[in-house]
């Protein structure tokens, strides 16, 4: 018991001398964990990504991870995953000559109605309109003044 009290006193005195170090070290570890999470998400977009699985991957409590992710990224975990899926779909639409159904599957969205809804939310247009808009803007000649 006396050893425990002594250890607590030492830790308390360390925090008094350099409290910013303790907070900074914890933040640094958590930011490092977020890099791991983002890498995991990008590598597994075509799969079902569960927040419970990802939070345990970085040894964080599910609820803490949820709040921390939103605080650091500015989006909920689900919103971030959906955004990354749509960004990948945008790239595929412009670089691959395959139908929209296949692209939706490649980014992990099997329900086409959900895919179109998400795509429209992030781009304010359908996938076909997006292709047309992006290809016509790159094909149009620029006037030189």
């Amino acid at each position: 018991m006396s050893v425990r009290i002594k250890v607590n006193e030492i830790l308390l005195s360390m925090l008094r001398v350099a409290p910013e170090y303790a907070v900074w070290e914890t933040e640094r570890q958590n930011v490092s964990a977020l890099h791991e999470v983002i890498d995991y998400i990008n590598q597994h977009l075509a799969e079902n990504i569960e927040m419970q699985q990802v939070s345990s991957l970085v040894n964080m409590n599910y609820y803490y991870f949820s709040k921390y992710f939103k605080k650091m990224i500015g989006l909920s975990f689900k919103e971030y995953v959906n955004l990354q899926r749509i960004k990948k779909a945008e790239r595929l639409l412009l670089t691959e000559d395959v139908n929209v159904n296949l692209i939706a599957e490649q980014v992990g969205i099997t329900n086409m109605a959900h895919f179109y809804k998400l795509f429209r939310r992030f781009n304010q247009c359908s996938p076909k309109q997006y292709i047309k808009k992006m290809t016509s803007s790159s094909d149009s000649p620029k006037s030189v003044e």
Side-chain angles (χ1 to χ4, degrees), residues 111-124:
N111 181 323
M112 285 309 295
H114 184 62
F115 176 76
Y116 276 96
K117 181 180 174 184
L118 283 175
F119 198 91
R120 197 171 282 282
R121 181 187 315 154
F122 289 109
N123 292 293
Q124 291 77 45

Side-chain angles (χ1 to χ4, degrees), residues 83-99:
L83 175 63
Q84 295 310 307
R85 285 180 168 150
I86 296 303
K87 282 182 170 183
K88 184 175 181 181
E90 291 168 357
R91 287 189 303 272
L92 292 173
L93 283 166
L94 297 174
T95 59
E96 304 288 323
D97 191 20
V98 294
N99 74 25

